[in-house]
Short mmCIF file of all heavy atoms in Angstrom, two decimals:
data_model
loop_
_atom_site.label_atom_id
_atom_site.label_comp_id
_atom_site.label_asym_id
_atom_site.label_seq_id
_atom_site.Cartn_x
_atom_site.Cartn_y
_atom_site.Cartn_z
N MET P 162 0.83 -1.19 0.00
CA MET P 162 -0.03 -0.01 -0.02
C MET P 162 0.91 1.23 0.02
O MET P 162 1.82 1.36 0.77
CB MET P 162 -0.87 -0.01 1.24
CG MET P 162 -1.68 1.24 1.43
SD MET P 162 -2.58 1.45 2.92
CE MET P 162 -3.65 -0.02 2.94
N LYS P 163 0.58 2.19 -0.89
CA LYS P 163 1.31 3.43 -0.83
C LYS P 163 0.40 4.55 -0.32
O LYS P 163 -0.79 4.65 -0.67
CB LYS P 163 1.73 3.80 -2.33
CG LYS P 163 2.74 2.87 -2.86
CD LYS P 163 3.23 3.40 -4.21
CE LYS P 163 4.35 2.51 -4.76
NZ LYS P 163 4.84 3.00 -6.09
N LEU P 164 0.97 5.40 0.52
CA LEU P 164 0.22 6.52 1.16
C LEU P 164 1.11 7.74 0.96
O LEU P 164 2.37 7.71 1.14
CB LEU P 164 0.00 6.23 2.61
CG LEU P 164 -0.99 5.13 2.93
CD1 LEU P 164 -0.94 4.83 4.45
CD2 LEU P 164 -2.37 5.48 2.48
N LYS P 165 0.46 8.84 0.73
CA LYS P 165 1.17 10.15 0.67
C LYS P 165 1.39 10.61 2.06
O LYS P 165 0.46 10.62 2.92
CB LYS P 165 0.30 11.11 -0.14
CG LYS P 165 0.95 12.50 -0.14
CD LYS P 165 0.02 13.44 -1.01
CE LYS P 165 0.62 14.84 -1.12
NZ LYS P 165 -0.28 15.68 -1.89
N VAL P 166 2.62 11.03 2.37
CA VAL P 166 3.02 11.53 3.65
C VAL P 166 3.54 12.95 3.40
O VAL P 166 4.40 13.18 2.59
CB VAL P 166 4.11 10.69 4.39
CG1 VAL P 166 4.55 11.29 5.61
CG2 VAL P 166 3.53 9.26 4.61
N ILE P 167 3.07 13.93 4.24
CA ILE P 167 3.59 15.29 4.13
C ILE P 167 4.39 15.53 5.31
O ILE P 167 3.93 15.40 6.45
CB ILE P 167 2.43 16.32 4.02
CG1 ILE P 167 1.62 15.97 2.76
CG2 ILE P 167 2.96 17.71 3.95
CD1 ILE P 167 0.34 16.81 2.59
N VAL P 168 5.68 15.94 5.12
CA VAL P 168 6.68 16.21 6.20
C VAL P 168 6.82 17.73 6.37
O VAL P 168 6.97 18.42 5.28
CB VAL P 168 7.93 15.44 5.99
CG1 VAL P 168 8.94 15.89 7.06
CG2 VAL P 168 7.75 13.98 5.87
N HIS P 169 6.84 18.20 7.53
CA HIS P 169 7.02 19.61 7.88
C HIS P 169 8.13 19.78 8.85
O HIS P 169 8.36 18.92 9.75
CB HIS P 169 5.72 20.19 8.51
CG HIS P 169 4.47 19.93 7.82
ND1 HIS P 169 3.99 20.77 6.83
CD2 HIS P 169 3.53 18.90 7.93
CE1 HIS P 169 2.84 20.25 6.37
NE2 HIS P 169 2.57 19.16 7.05
N LYS P 170 8.83 20.90 8.77
CA LYS P 170 9.80 21.24 9.76
C LYS P 170 9.07 21.91 10.96
O LYS P 170 8.34 22.77 10.69
CB LYS P 170 10.89 22.23 9.22
CG LYS P 170 11.96 21.55 8.35
CD LYS P 170 13.07 22.48 8.07
CE LYS P 170 14.13 21.70 7.39
NZ LYS P 170 15.31 22.59 7.16
N ALA P 171 9.37 21.43 12.12
CA ALA P 171 8.72 21.99 13.30
C ALA P 171 9.46 23.26 13.68
O ALA P 171 10.66 23.41 13.60
CB ALA P 171 8.75 21.00 14.43
N GLU P 172 8.64 24.28 14.10
CA GLU P 172 9.20 25.54 14.53
C GLU P 172 10.17 25.39 15.69
O GLU P 172 11.24 26.12 15.74
CB GLU P 172 8.10 26.56 14.90
CG GLU P 172 7.23 26.98 13.75
CD GLU P 172 6.17 27.97 14.14
OE1 GLU P 172 6.27 28.56 15.20
OE2 GLU P 172 5.23 28.12 13.35
N GLU P 173 9.90 24.53 16.56
CA GLU P 173 10.75 24.35 17.72
C GLU P 173 11.93 23.37 17.47
O GLU P 173 12.70 23.04 18.41
CB GLU P 173 9.94 23.85 18.93
CG GLU P 173 9.29 22.54 18.71
CD GLU P 173 8.02 22.53 17.97
OE1 GLU P 173 7.47 23.68 17.62
OE2 GLU P 173 7.45 21.46 17.71
N GLY P 174 12.10 22.87 16.24
CA GLY P 174 13.12 21.99 15.87
C GLY P 174 12.53 20.58 15.65
O GLY P 174 11.46 20.25 16.07
N GLY P 175 13.17 19.83 14.83
CA GLY P 175 12.69 18.51 14.40
C GLY P 175 11.67 18.55 13.31
O GLY P 175 11.66 19.55 12.57
N PHE P 176 10.92 17.53 13.18
CA PHE P 176 9.95 17.40 12.05
C PHE P 176 8.65 16.87 12.62
O PHE P 176 8.57 16.20 13.67
CB PHE P 176 10.50 16.40 11.07
CG PHE P 176 11.84 16.77 10.45
CD1 PHE P 176 13.00 16.32 11.08
CD2 PHE P 176 11.92 17.58 9.40
CE1 PHE P 176 14.27 16.64 10.54
CE2 PHE P 176 13.19 17.96 8.82
CZ PHE P 176 14.34 17.50 9.49
N TRP P 177 7.58 17.08 11.82
CA TRP P 177 6.36 16.41 12.12
C TRP P 177 5.75 16.00 10.72
O TRP P 177 6.05 16.59 9.72
CB TRP P 177 5.38 17.24 12.88
CG TRP P 177 4.75 18.43 12.25
CD1 TRP P 177 5.37 19.69 12.15
CD2 TRP P 177 3.50 18.56 11.61
NE1 TRP P 177 4.57 20.56 11.54
CE2 TRP P 177 3.38 19.92 11.19
CE3 TRP P 177 2.44 17.77 11.41
CZ2 TRP P 177 2.25 20.37 10.55
CZ3 TRP P 177 1.31 18.22 10.77
CH2 TRP P 177 1.28 19.56 10.37
N ALA P 178 4.94 14.96 10.75
CA ALA P 178 4.40 14.44 9.47
C ALA P 178 2.97 14.12 9.63
O ALA P 178 2.53 13.75 10.73
CB ALA P 178 5.21 13.13 9.04
N GLU P 179 2.24 14.16 8.50
CA GLU P 179 0.82 13.80 8.51
C GLU P 179 0.54 12.90 7.27
O GLU P 179 1.23 13.00 6.28
CB GLU P 179 -0.05 15.05 8.45
CG GLU P 179 0.18 15.90 7.22
CD GLU P 179 -0.58 17.20 7.23
OE1 GLU P 179 -1.83 17.13 7.47
OE2 GLU P 179 0.00 18.33 6.99
N VAL P 180 -0.51 12.11 7.38
CA VAL P 180 -0.91 11.25 6.32
C VAL P 180 -2.35 11.63 5.97
O VAL P 180 -3.30 11.34 6.72
CB VAL P 180 -0.93 9.74 6.74
CG1 VAL P 180 -1.35 8.86 5.60
CG2 VAL P 180 0.44 9.39 7.27
N PRO P 181 -2.52 12.48 4.89
CA PRO P 181 -3.83 13.10 4.56
C PRO P 181 -4.89 12.06 4.39
O PRO P 181 -6.07 12.34 4.66
CB PRO P 181 -3.56 13.91 3.29
CG PRO P 181 -2.09 14.13 3.31
CD PRO P 181 -1.44 12.95 4.03
N ALA P 182 -4.56 10.84 3.87
CA ALA P 182 -5.60 9.87 3.65
C ALA P 182 -6.16 9.21 4.84
O ALA P 182 -7.22 8.60 4.85
CB ALA P 182 -5.02 8.77 2.72
N ILE P 183 -5.49 9.43 5.99
CA ILE P 183 -5.94 8.85 7.26
C ILE P 183 -6.10 10.03 8.27
O ILE P 183 -5.13 10.48 8.86
CB ILE P 183 -4.92 7.82 7.83
CG1 ILE P 183 -4.64 6.75 6.79
CG2 ILE P 183 -5.44 7.20 9.11
CD1 ILE P 183 -3.53 5.85 7.22
N PRO P 184 -7.35 10.49 8.39
CA PRO P 184 -7.55 11.67 9.33
C PRO P 184 -7.02 11.35 10.77
O PRO P 184 -7.22 10.25 11.33
CB PRO P 184 -9.05 11.83 9.37
CG PRO P 184 -9.54 11.21 8.06
CD PRO P 184 -8.55 10.08 7.81
N GLY P 185 -6.31 12.26 11.33
CA GLY P 185 -5.77 12.18 12.64
C GLY P 185 -4.48 11.38 12.70
O GLY P 185 -3.98 11.15 13.81
N CYS P 186 -3.86 10.96 11.59
CA CYS P 186 -2.62 10.24 11.63
C CYS P 186 -1.43 11.27 11.48
O CYS P 186 -1.18 11.71 10.44
CB CYS P 186 -2.65 9.19 10.47
SG CYS P 186 -1.27 8.06 10.63
N TYR P 187 -0.83 11.50 12.59
CA TYR P 187 0.32 12.47 12.72
C TYR P 187 1.38 11.81 13.54
O TYR P 187 1.10 10.97 14.35
CB TYR P 187 -0.16 13.75 13.41
CG TYR P 187 -1.27 14.49 12.80
CD1 TYR P 187 -2.59 14.31 13.23
CD2 TYR P 187 -1.10 15.38 11.73
CE1 TYR P 187 -3.62 14.98 12.67
CE2 TYR P 187 -2.10 16.07 11.15
CZ TYR P 187 -3.39 15.91 11.64
OH TYR P 187 -4.42 16.57 11.05
N THR P 188 2.59 12.32 13.34
CA THR P 188 3.66 11.87 14.23
C THR P 188 4.76 13.00 14.21
O THR P 188 4.71 13.90 13.37
CB THR P 188 4.30 10.57 13.81
OG1 THR P 188 5.19 10.14 14.77
CG2 THR P 188 5.02 10.64 12.44
N GLN P 189 5.74 12.94 15.08
CA GLN P 189 6.76 13.93 15.21
C GLN P 189 8.00 13.33 15.80
O GLN P 189 7.86 12.30 16.46
CB GLN P 189 6.35 15.14 16.00
CG GLN P 189 6.16 14.86 17.46
CD GLN P 189 5.73 16.07 18.24
OE1 GLN P 189 5.10 17.05 17.69
NE2 GLN P 189 6.12 16.17 19.49
N ASP P 190 9.18 13.93 15.48
CA ASP P 190 10.37 13.50 16.14
C ASP P 190 11.50 14.49 15.93
O ASP P 190 11.29 15.39 15.05
CB ASP P 190 10.81 12.11 15.67
CG ASP P 190 11.42 11.32 16.80
OD1 ASP P 190 12.41 11.82 17.49
OD2 ASP P 190 10.99 10.19 17.12
N ASP P 191 12.63 14.32 16.53
CA ASP P 191 13.68 15.26 16.45
C ASP P 191 14.54 15.06 15.15
O ASP P 191 15.11 16.07 14.67
CB ASP P 191 14.60 15.16 17.65
CG ASP P 191 13.96 15.61 18.93
OD1 ASP P 191 13.05 16.51 18.87
OD2 ASP P 191 14.23 15.03 19.99
N THR P 192 14.67 13.82 14.65
CA THR P 192 15.48 13.59 13.47
C THR P 192 14.65 13.02 12.37
O THR P 192 13.60 12.37 12.58
CB THR P 192 16.68 12.66 13.84
OG1 THR P 192 16.10 11.38 14.12
CG2 THR P 192 17.48 13.14 15.01
N TRP P 193 15.17 13.13 11.20
CA TRP P 193 14.53 12.61 9.98
C TRP P 193 14.44 11.07 10.09
O TRP P 193 13.37 10.51 9.77
CB TRP P 193 15.34 13.04 8.75
CG TRP P 193 14.79 12.52 7.50
CD1 TRP P 193 15.22 11.43 6.76
CD2 TRP P 193 13.63 12.99 6.73
NE1 TRP P 193 14.45 11.26 5.66
CE2 TRP P 193 13.44 12.23 5.64
CE3 TRP P 193 12.75 14.06 6.94
CZ2 TRP P 193 12.45 12.48 4.68
CZ3 TRP P 193 11.73 14.31 5.98
CH2 TRP P 193 11.61 13.47 4.92
N GLU P 194 15.53 10.41 10.51
CA GLU P 194 15.48 8.97 10.57
C GLU P 194 14.44 8.40 11.60
O GLU P 194 13.74 7.48 11.34
CB GLU P 194 16.88 8.44 10.96
CG GLU P 194 17.95 8.72 9.95
CD GLU P 194 18.47 10.12 9.87
OE1 GLU P 194 18.33 10.88 10.85
OE2 GLU P 194 19.16 10.48 8.87
N GLU P 195 14.36 9.07 12.73
CA GLU P 195 13.39 8.69 13.74
C GLU P 195 12.00 8.97 13.21
O GLU P 195 11.04 8.20 13.50
CB GLU P 195 13.62 9.35 15.06
CG GLU P 195 14.94 8.84 15.69
CD GLU P 195 15.33 9.73 16.89
OE1 GLU P 195 14.86 10.82 17.09
OE2 GLU P 195 16.15 9.19 17.75
N LEU P 196 11.77 10.03 12.56
CA LEU P 196 10.44 10.42 11.99
C LEU P 196 10.00 9.30 10.99
O LEU P 196 8.86 8.92 11.09
CB LEU P 196 10.47 11.78 11.26
CG LEU P 196 9.15 12.20 10.74
CD1 LEU P 196 8.17 12.63 11.81
CD2 LEU P 196 9.36 13.34 9.76
N LEU P 197 10.91 8.83 10.21
CA LEU P 197 10.53 7.86 9.18
C LEU P 197 9.98 6.54 9.86
O LEU P 197 8.99 5.98 9.54
CB LEU P 197 11.68 7.45 8.28
CG LEU P 197 12.07 8.56 7.31
CD1 LEU P 197 13.27 8.13 6.48
CD2 LEU P 197 10.97 8.92 6.36
N GLN P 198 10.67 6.15 10.94
CA GLN P 198 10.24 4.95 11.68
C GLN P 198 8.85 5.28 12.39
O GLN P 198 7.98 4.41 12.36
CB GLN P 198 11.27 4.62 12.83
CG GLN P 198 10.84 3.37 13.56
CD GLN P 198 10.70 2.12 12.74
OE1 GLN P 198 11.50 1.90 11.81
NE2 GLN P 198 9.76 1.31 13.10
N ASN P 199 8.68 6.44 12.88
CA ASN P 199 7.41 6.80 13.57
C ASN P 199 6.26 6.83 12.54
O ASN P 199 5.14 6.50 12.93
CB ASN P 199 7.53 8.18 14.17
CG ASN P 199 8.38 8.18 15.40
OD1 ASN P 199 8.79 7.12 15.93
ND2 ASN P 199 8.65 9.30 15.97
N ILE P 200 6.54 7.22 11.30
CA ILE P 200 5.46 7.24 10.31
C ILE P 200 4.89 5.85 10.11
O ILE P 200 3.68 5.66 10.13
CB ILE P 200 5.95 7.87 8.97
CG1 ILE P 200 6.28 9.34 9.14
CG2 ILE P 200 4.97 7.60 7.85
CD1 ILE P 200 7.00 9.94 8.01
N TYR P 201 5.80 4.89 9.96
CA TYR P 201 5.31 3.50 9.74
C TYR P 201 4.51 3.03 11.00
O TYR P 201 3.43 2.46 10.86
CB TYR P 201 6.51 2.53 9.57
CG TYR P 201 7.08 2.62 8.20
CD1 TYR P 201 8.30 3.30 8.06
CD2 TYR P 201 6.51 2.09 7.11
CE1 TYR P 201 8.94 3.38 6.80
CE2 TYR P 201 7.03 2.22 5.85
CZ TYR P 201 8.25 2.91 5.64
OH TYR P 201 8.87 2.97 4.44
N GLU P 202 4.94 3.37 12.19
CA GLU P 202 4.21 3.00 13.39
C GLU P 202 2.87 3.71 13.52
O GLU P 202 1.87 3.13 13.90
CB GLU P 202 5.09 3.25 14.60
CG GLU P 202 6.28 2.33 14.73
CD GLU P 202 7.24 2.75 15.89
OE1 GLU P 202 6.78 3.60 16.67
OE2 GLU P 202 8.31 2.19 15.95
N ALA P 203 2.84 5.00 13.13
CA ALA P 203 1.60 5.75 13.22
C ALA P 203 0.59 5.21 12.26
O ALA P 203 -0.58 5.15 12.59
CB ALA P 203 1.86 7.23 12.94
N VAL P 204 0.95 4.92 11.02
CA VAL P 204 0.06 4.41 10.03
C VAL P 204 -0.50 3.04 10.50
O VAL P 204 -1.67 2.76 10.45
CB VAL P 204 0.70 4.25 8.63
CG1 VAL P 204 -0.10 3.42 7.69
CG2 VAL P 204 0.98 5.66 8.07
N GLU P 205 0.41 2.18 10.97
CA GLU P 205 -0.03 0.90 11.45
C GLU P 205 -1.04 0.99 12.60
O GLU P 205 -2.06 0.39 12.69
CB GLU P 205 1.18 0.06 11.90
CG GLU P 205 0.90 -1.33 12.36
CD GLU P 205 2.14 -2.10 12.72
OE1 GLU P 205 2.95 -2.25 11.85
OE2 GLU P 205 2.24 -2.46 13.92
N GLY P 206 -0.73 1.89 13.52
CA GLY P 206 -1.65 2.16 14.64
C GLY P 206 -2.96 2.67 14.23
O GLY P 206 -4.02 2.30 14.72
N CYS P 207 -2.94 3.66 13.33
CA CYS P 207 -4.21 4.28 12.89
C CYS P 207 -5.08 3.30 12.09
O CYS P 207 -6.31 3.26 12.23
CB CYS P 207 -3.93 5.47 11.96
SG CYS P 207 -3.26 6.88 12.87
N LEU P 208 -4.44 2.47 11.25
CA LEU P 208 -5.22 1.45 10.46
C LEU P 208 -5.73 0.31 11.35
O LEU P 208 -6.77 -0.26 11.05
CB LEU P 208 -4.33 0.89 9.37
CG LEU P 208 -4.05 1.91 8.24
CD1 LEU P 208 -3.13 1.25 7.16
CD2 LEU P 208 -5.26 2.47 7.58
N SER P 209 -5.03 0.00 12.48
CA SER P 209 -5.56 -1.07 13.27
C SER P 209 -6.75 -0.65 14.10
O SER P 209 -7.45 -1.56 14.58
CB SER P 209 -4.38 -1.50 14.23
OG SER P 209 -4.12 -0.56 15.19
N VAL P 210 -7.01 0.63 14.23
CA VAL P 210 -8.12 1.15 15.03
C VAL P 210 -9.43 1.11 14.23
O VAL P 210 -10.47 1.00 14.73
CB VAL P 210 -7.84 2.53 15.60
CG1 VAL P 210 -9.10 3.13 16.29
CG2 VAL P 210 -6.63 2.48 16.48
N THR P 211 -9.22 1.36 12.86
CA THR P 211 -10.45 1.44 12.02
C THR P 211 -11.09 0.18 11.70
O THR P 211 -10.58 -0.88 11.79
CB THR P 211 -10.09 2.24 10.73
OG1 THR P 211 -9.03 1.50 10.05
CG2 THR P 211 -9.67 3.62 11.08
#
């Protein structure tokens, strides 16, 4: 499954990301590498609830 992820730089440092196809699916972290891992976990968590 492919999903569009939009990544933003956080004003206070780090990054945050959202998955527009899944309302309420957001994550954040201090580094790009950690954010990528969090995105997978966030999508998995959001899809397991629906």
